[in-house]
Amino acid sequence: MYGSGQVSWSLLLTADFDNKPDSLFFNDGQRRIDFVLVYEDETKMTHKRSNHKKQKRKRQVYESNLINNGLQLEATRSVLDEKTIFVKVHAPWEVLCTYAEVMHIKLPLQPNDLKTRESAFNWFTRFFSVDENIIKPEQEFFTAPFKREHLSNFYIQDKDAFFNPATRSRIVHFILSRVKYATKQNVKKFGINKLLDTGIYKAAFPLHDSSFGHPSTDPDCPSERYLLYREWAHPKNILKLQPLDFIRKYYGEKIGIYFAWLGFYTNMLIVAAVVGVGCFLYGFFMKDNCTWSQEVCDPNIGGNIIMCPQCDKVCTYWNLTITCESSKKLCIFDSFGTLVFAVFMGIWVTLFLEFWKRRQAELEYEWDTVEYLEQEEQIRPEYEAQCTHVVVNEITQQEEHVPYTACGKCVRITLCTSAVFFWILLIIASVIGIIVYRLSVFLVFSATLPRHINGTQAIRKYLTPQTATSVTASIISFIVIMVLNIVYEKLPRTQTEYENSLTTKMFLFQFVNYYSSCFYIAFFKGKFVGYPGNPVYWLGKYRNEECDPGGCLLELTTQLAIIVGGKAIWNNIQEVLLPWVKNLIGRYCADARSEKIVPRWEQDYHLQPIGKLGLFYEYLEMVIQFGFVTLFVASFPLAPLLALINNMLEIRLDAWKLTTQFRRMVPQKAQDIGAWQPIMQGIAILAVVTNAMIIAFTSDMIPRLVYYWSFSVPPYGSHSSYTMKGYINNTLSVFNISDFKNASKPFSPWFGNDTTCRYRDFRYPPGHQHQYEHNIYYWHVIAAKLAFIIVMEHVIYFVKFIISYIIPDVSQETKSKVKREKYLTQKILHENDLKVVKKTIGKIADKIIEGVDSTFRPKTE
């Protein structure tokens, strides 16, 4: 059974294209096109299917009900493909007023008379701002939720301009999403999204106002898309500030706040990048003074140290000087500058989040979203369609419809939770697979790469078995991450709740997917390996991996560089290159078929759809990057610099993509960045712990400090003053080769007269009464590491608390503006209401007085 609404189909006007390619109006030139629906005419199809008639009937009922709701439609056939029909939708003034009140849309009351305080940095930012003669600043107004009864109170100079194109499109989309097209088993089927999913309509979108390459030929068209491309999306503007108000005007608050956040994050990265580069340069220039690296490379020290095999049987003994190059690189990243930078980043992330809250509060006021969640957000139509169960609201004691019962909700939560855990287990399985690969391939590289004690080949200088295993495993890990990411990407009440729920689930998956390999290298690799005579085996078969004598920090840096760099390249290919190629192919095919003039709606139809999730993956990409910049920054101080360069490109690429490759998005309201804010706050808290643990357990900073202050001088050391000399010899334990078990004894013969080899640990030597047990140095180091973590965490958390307390979420200036607007809004509305009441009461009073006079007037004799 299909819906009601048998309106004469003559009301659905049909019109031929009027050869005006930039026209945004019906053929009468008066009614503006607020939305476009696209479908294929079944009568023109060569392959007719049985469901075509049913689809046509649903579409006719839907369009009939649109007309019943006050919308005006005009159909035009494609100039390139005669089977494609474009239905242009126009919302008259009465419809706009009705639904503006239903949606609680805030509209101008009067111009804002508050003076804006000039920033002290205006003289500097003026050089990077958009030319105000090209993109003029938006006039500010005091606003209030629209009510038709207060129509005279609103600032209406021109009826056609009172509702701007973005607001008109938003209202029309609201209607399109809630109009019925069928009723099946007493359940209403409605909404343009369902019709798009079933193929009844091919597309539904608002129009761009012009081409991005040149301004509109219509003199009345502002050509905002062209201006956005020229002054914002073009690569030449990479150093310019973004015209956020203009972006918000054209695309809506949701797009505007994304670019505001991304721009703010990028600006804050400048400070982090400068400090990070400074710490990197400090390590680079100080590497020649790195005593322990000099000892590794010294042929009289490192050249005389023979290391034990790092795997069973196939691995051979090796000379410590093989790791000379990696130890030099490690000195750059494992320096005092790293500690300073880790502390700085713990404070930086707090400043970033606190200042963003203030900036967000300013945008909420400027863009009229302060009370958005309480007033304007509507129930998601997909949610409404599922509301078939009736329950009694405990608060209002009224019946309301919900999509599932309490039991159904429990089942749904169980299924969703199970699905999320399944994917997380799948990721953990992939990580285990990478670990098995590391353990297996290390044996192969150890057997094939030159690694003899006296080897002199140039390749061994740079490509050790550890390096080869680390790089190949990192590349494979990156590929697995991308594959799982693609696979995973293939109903709460409101749109915000829907996106927040999806955000939490997706980020949980991505967190494990992207960061698990880094957590393994940072906190597990080389930590539980035993010693050569009694190694620890993983799954009872694979001998646990060991780190280089300098630790696993350099390997963690390599992993981060590959994932961060590879992710940026992959995302740009996926997000920019693919839509560009698709559009290029589409334009080539269209040009090959016809040289005709193509209208604006048909040009937009051949662009790429934005997708249902809109900016979700853009946020996800940036927050994952934020995690890499903060969680593991102690191992890679150049991460903020790479993120800064990537983000400067990302802003312009996202802008270019929106303005040139995609159809115009339906403008949407948004008060903030949603669930991403608490996610970043969680990352900020976790980052303090991870960086403290990286410095304590992954780098060798603490063991070096313990040696310098305690074990280089008596009673434990033999030097007369504090020094790093002898550090390498002191931190490599001794193992007697005769104590090898048959299962791990190397095949290669022992060269030389020595009967011992060295390994990375703090254990007593053979012959000691506690041989191969942890020595006093080990317990000093453990105590120092734990003390360092506790002190660093508490200091940074205390500073974070102080900063959060000192910096209010909303500035005093913004609070004053909000209060002033509320006061003036109430004053204007109430004064006008009072005038009406006085006028009404005055008339009543006059009538009463007249009645009293006539009653008490003396009767004439």
Side-chain angles (χ1 to χ4, degrees):
M1 175 183 176
Y2 297 99
S4 59
Q6 300 300 320
V7 174
S8 171
W9 292 109
S10 61
L11 293 178
L12 178 56
L13 301 175
T14 58
D16 294 329
F17 173 48
D18 56 6
N19 287 325
K20 295 179 181 177
D22 290 333
S23 176
L24 302 175
F25 296 87
F26 281 16
N27 272 18
D28 59 14
Q30 301 297 319
R31 291 173 291 175
R32 184 183 183 88
I33 300 171
D34 299 316
F35 226 86
V36 175
L37 308 178
V38 186
Y39 69 90
E40 292 184 348
D41 187 356
E42 293 83 357
T43 61
K44 299 290 183 179
M45 291 185 182
T46 54
H47 302 287
K48 296 186 178 182
R49 294 181 296 182
S50 57
N51 66 336
H52 280 169
K53 188 174 181 181
K54 186 184 294 185
Q55 287 188 344
K56 182 178 180 180
R57 178 60 180 158
K58 287 180 179 179
R59 187 173 62 252
Q60 288 176 339
V61 171
Y62 182 71
E63 290 174 357
S64 173
N65 287 335
L66 289 179
I67 296 171
N68 279 343
N69 276 269
L71 297 180
Q72 296 174 4
L73 312 180
E74 182 180 84
T76 300
R77 195 172 294 276
S78 168
V79 299
L80 298 177
D81 184 1
E82 64 175 7
K83 70 174 181 290
T84 303
I85 307 293
F86 294 91
V87 179
K88 294 164 283 184
V89 183
H90 169 76
W93 171 260
E94 291 298 319
V95 173
L96 293 173
C97 290
T98 300
Y99 282 93
E101 184 169 356
V102 170
M103 298 170 68
H104 303 283
I105 294 177
K106 298 177 80 172
L107 293 166
L109 280 174
Q110 70 174 39
N112 190 334
D113 61 354
L114 291 176
K115 293 182 180 179
T116 304
R117 191 167 57 189
E118 291 289 327
S119 171
F121 298 99
N122 272 6
W123 65 271
F124 179 73
T125 58
R126 193 177 296 116
F127 294 106
F128 302 96
S129 299
V130 176
D131 188 349
E132 293 185 358
N133 294 321
I134 299 174
I135 297 181
K136 296 180 181 178
E138 294 294 314
Q139 185 178 2
E140 293 187 9
F141 291 92
F142 292 123
T143 61
F146 183 79
K147 290 183 181 294
R148 297 190 66 172
E149 61 192 56
H150 296 147
L151 185 62
S152 60
N153 298 334
F154 287 89
Y155 189 79
I156 305 175
Q157 289 188 318
D158 180 3
K159 273 190 174 184
D160 294 333
F162 182 61
F163 295 99
N164 64 32
T167 304
R168 296 177 69 100
S169 298
R170 188 169 147 233
I171 290 172
V172 172
H173 184 260
F174 179 86
I175 300 170
L176 294 175
S177 299
R178 285 158 176 80
V179 167
K180 183 181 69 172
Y181 63 84
T183 304
K184 188 175 181 180
Q185 297 177 351
N186 294 324
V187 177
K188 293 180 181 179
K189 293 182 176 291
F190 58 87
I192 188 62
N193 291 338
K194 285 283 186 182
L195 295 172
L196 289 170
D197 291 340
T198 54
I200 295 175
Y201 284 102
K202 298 300 178 185
F205 52 90
L207 287 179
H208 281 297
D209 69 344
S210 68
S211 169
F212 70 87
H214 56 80
S216 174
T217 55
D218 184 352
D220 295 328
C221 177
S223 300
E224 292 176 347
R225 182 192 186 194
Y226 165 72
L227 292 176
L228 281 171
Y229 173 74
R230 178 183 162 186
E231 300 297 324
W232 175 49
H234 197 279
K236 70 177 182 179
N237 303 309
I238 193 166
L239 296 178
K240 279 190 176 182
L241 297 175
Q242 302 180 83
L244 293 176
D245 290 333
F246 201 62
I247 297 167
R248 171 249 182 172
K249 177 186 175 184
Y250 190 76
Y251 284 110
E253 286 76 10
K254 198 164 195 174
I255 296 283
I257 203 162
Y258 164 72
F259 282 103
W261 172 79
L262 182 55
F264 187 84
Y265 170 44
T266 303
N267 291 339
M268 288 291 290
L269 277 174
I270 295 173
V271 180
V274 169
V275 178
V277 171
C279 292
F280 173 80
L281 292 176
Y282 171 83
F284 180 80
F285 289 116
M286 294 298 291
K287 73 179 188 300
D288 294 333
N289 299 326
C290 189
T291 306
W292 66 271
S293 176
Q294 292 173 356
E295 290 185 348
V296 170
C297 299
D298 190 337
N300 296 321
I301 301 176
N304 292 328
I305 295 177
I306 307 303
M307 302 296 292
C308 299
Q310 291 185 320
C311 64
D312 293 340
K313 295 186 177 181
V314 298
C315 291
T316 184
Y317 301 96
W318 53 286
N319 196 295
L320 182 61
T321 52
I322 289 177
T323 61
C324 176
E325 289 302 318
S326 62
S327 69
K328 290 179 181 179
K329 295 172 187 172
L330 190 60
C331 285
I332 299 174
F333 298 101
D334 194 359
S335 66
F336 178 72
T338 301
L339 172 60
V340 173
F341 190 55
V343 174
F344 167 80
M345 287 302 291
I347 298 170
W348 173 89
V349 72
T350 305
L351 290 171
F352 163 64
L353 292 173
E354 292 302 319
F355 281 125
W356 166 247
K357 288 179 187 176
R358 287 170 65 90
R359 176 62 178 143
Q360 189 169 258
E362 292 174 6
L363 292 174
E364 285 178 19
Y365 166 74
E366 293 172 6
W367 293 354
D368 292 323
T369 60
V370 175
E371 298 174 349
Y372 158 65
L373 290 181
E374 291 80 9
Q375 293 184 348
E376 289 188 51
E377 186 164 36
Q378 307 297 324
I379 293 176
R380 215 163 50 95
E382 291 83 355
Y383 177 89
E384 285 183 319
Q386 294 182 351
C387 292
T388 56
H389 301 279
V390 179
V391 297
V392 177
N393 189 301
E394 294 180 358
I395 299 172
T396 63
Q397 294 299 310
Q398 293 180 351
E399 290 186 350
E400 61 179 31
H401 290 78
V402 295
Y404 30 75
T405 60
C407 180
K409 187 174 183 178
C410 291
V411 172
R412 186 183 180 88
I413 292 173
T414 302
L415 291 175
C416 289
T417 305
S418 301
V420 172
F421 276 113
F422 166 77
W423 282 103
I424 291 175
L425 290 174
L426 185 63
I427 297 168
I428 294 173
S430 71
V431 173
I432 293 173
I434 296 295
I435 295 172
V436 171
Y437 166 84
R438 286 173 174 273
L439 299 174
S440 303
V441 171
F442 181 75
L443 300 177
V444 177
F445 284 136
S446 296
T448 55
L449 290 177
R451 196 176 173 185
H452 301 297
I453 293 174
N454 299 316
T456 58
Q457 293 90 335
I459 190 173
R460 75 177 179 88
K461 188 176 180 181
Y462 300 101
L463 190 62
T464 63
Q466 292 100 329
T467 304
T469 302
S470 174
V471 172
T472 56
S474 297
I475 293 172
I476 292 173
S477 177
F478 168 72
I479 293 171
V480 170
I481 287 170
M482 291 296 109
V483 170
L484 287 174
N485 191 25
I486 291 171
V487 171
Y488 188 75
E489 291 174 2
K490 295 280 188 227
L491 285 169
R493 185 178 177 90
T494 64
Q495 185 69 23
T496 298
E497 288 178 2
Y498 170 72
E499 291 179 0
N500 289 350
S501 174
L502 178 65
T503 296
T504 305
K505 294 172 188 173
M506 179 63 87
F507 181 77
L508 183 60
F509 166 82
Q510 298 284 19
F511 184 91
V512 180
N513 191 23
Y514 277 104
Y515 302 139
S516 54
S517 58
C518 294
F519 273 100
Y520 165 72
I521 294 171
F523 305 123
F524 295 98
K525 184 182 176 183
K527 303 299 185 294
F528 313 101
V529 295
Y531 62 95
N534 186 27
V536 176
Y537 290 89
W538 198 69
L539 300 177
K541 180 180 179 182
Y542 299 100
R543 180 170 166 175
N544 274 2
E545 283 187 281
E546 295 184 35
C547 296
D548 276 337
C552 287
L553 191 69
L554 189 60
E555 185 173 347
L556 179 59
T557 303
T558 304
Q559 177 85 3
L560 285 169
I562 289 175
I563 292 180
V564 172
K567 179 176 171 292
I569 295 170
W570 172 261
N571 286 335
N572 288 332
I573 291 174
Q574 190 178 30
E575 295 177 8
V576 177
L577 189 61
L578 292 182
W580 179 76
V581 169
K582 288 179 182 178
N583 287 335
L584 190 66
I585 294 171
R587 284 196 298 269
Y588 176 79
C589 295
D591 292 342
R593 284 182 294 175
S594 175
E595 296 293 333
K596 297 178 181 178
I597 299 173
V598 180
R600 166 58 40 209
W601 49 86
E602 193 154 356
Q603 294 177 44
D604 285 6
Y605 174 61
H606 290 294
L607 296 176
Q608 296 300 306
I610 195 68
K612 290 184 178 180
L613 294 178
L615 293 171
F616 174 82
Y617 291 110
E618 308 296 337
Y619 273 116
L620 181 63
E621 176 189 349
M622 287 296 103
V623 173
I624 291 293
Q625 181 208 85
F626 178 77
F628 280 118
V629 167
T630 54
L631 289 174
F632 306 102
V633 76
S635 66
F636 193 35
L638 293 180
L641 177 64
L642 296 182
L644 173 63
I645 295 170
N646 176 78
N647 289 7
M648 292 175 68
L649 295 173
E650 182 77 19
I651 290 173
R652 305 304 160 179
L653 288 175
D654 284 347
W656 175 84
K657 183 173 61 177
L658 276 179
T659 53
T660 67
Q661 304 301 308
F662 285 92
R663 297 170 190 157
R664 188 173 181 176
M665 287 182 65
V666 178
Q668 295 179 7
K669 281 278 188 180
Q671 189 180 32
D672 48 37
I673 60 174
W676 300 111
Q677 182 82 22
I679 285 174
M680 287 193 296
Q681 289 173 336
I683 291 175
I685 294 171
L686 182 61
V688 178
V689 180
T690 56
N691 284 302
M693 292 182 69
I694 285 172
I695 293 173
F697 292 107
T698 310
S699 81
D700 259 11
M701 185 175 296
I702 303 301
R704 290 200 299 270
L705 290 174
V706 170
Y707 176 80
Y708 182 84
W709 292 106
S710 297
F711 285 80
S712 64
V713 294
Y716 301 110
S718 57
H719 297 281
S720 58
S721 60
Y722 299 113
T723 180
M724 284 301 296
K725 291 181 180 179
Y727 171 74
I728 289 296
N729 186 61
N730 193 269
T731 55
L732 293 177
S733 299
V734 180
F735 178 76
N736 194 323
I737 61 173
S738 62
D739 293 333
F740 271 120
K741 294 181 180 178
N742 290 330
S744 56
K745 191 172 184 178
F747 292 139
S748 59
W750 172 252
F751 296 97
N753 299 321
D754 290 336
T755 58
T756 60
C757 60
R758 310 295 289 272
Y759 62 99
R760 175 184 164 85
D761 208 341
F762 307 110
R763 295 178 184 268
Y764 289 112
H768 193 278
Q769 59 177 345
H770 300 294
Q771 68 174 6
Y772 303 137
E773 293 181 9
H774 287 123
N775 58 23
I776 189 67
Y777 192 177
Y778 172 83
W779 298 111
H780 274 74
V781 168
I782 289 295
K785 286 181 176 181
L786 295 177
F788 171 81
I789 291 173
I790 292 171
V791 171
M792 180 176 171
E793 284 183 3
H794 281 69
V795 168
I796 295 179
Y797 282 141
F798 177 74
V799 174
K800 285 166 73 74
F801 172 78
I802 295 297
I803 291 173
S804 300
Y805 180 78
I806 291 175
I807 303 175
D809 292 349
V810 183
S811 67
Q812 189 59 46
E813 183 181 0
T814 303
K815 287 180 181 178
S816 299
K817 287 180 178 179
V818 171
K819 291 177 181 178
R820 170 70 175 165
E821 179 171 357
K822 282 185 176 180
Y823 166 74
L824 288 177
T825 300
Q826 291 173 357
K827 183 180 177 182
I828 292 168
L829 295 178
H830 291 175
E831 281 181 354
N832 288 329
D833 288 343
L834 194 60
K835 288 178 183 178
V836 174
V837 170
K838 284 181 178 179
K839 189 175 180 180
T840 305
I841 291 176
K843 291 179 180 178
I844 296 172
D846 290 341
K847 290 181 180 180
I848 292 173
I849 291 170
E850 288 177 5
V852 171
D853 286 346
S854 62
T855 302
F856 292 98
R857 188 177 295 133
K859 292 183 179 180
T860 56
E861 294 294 335

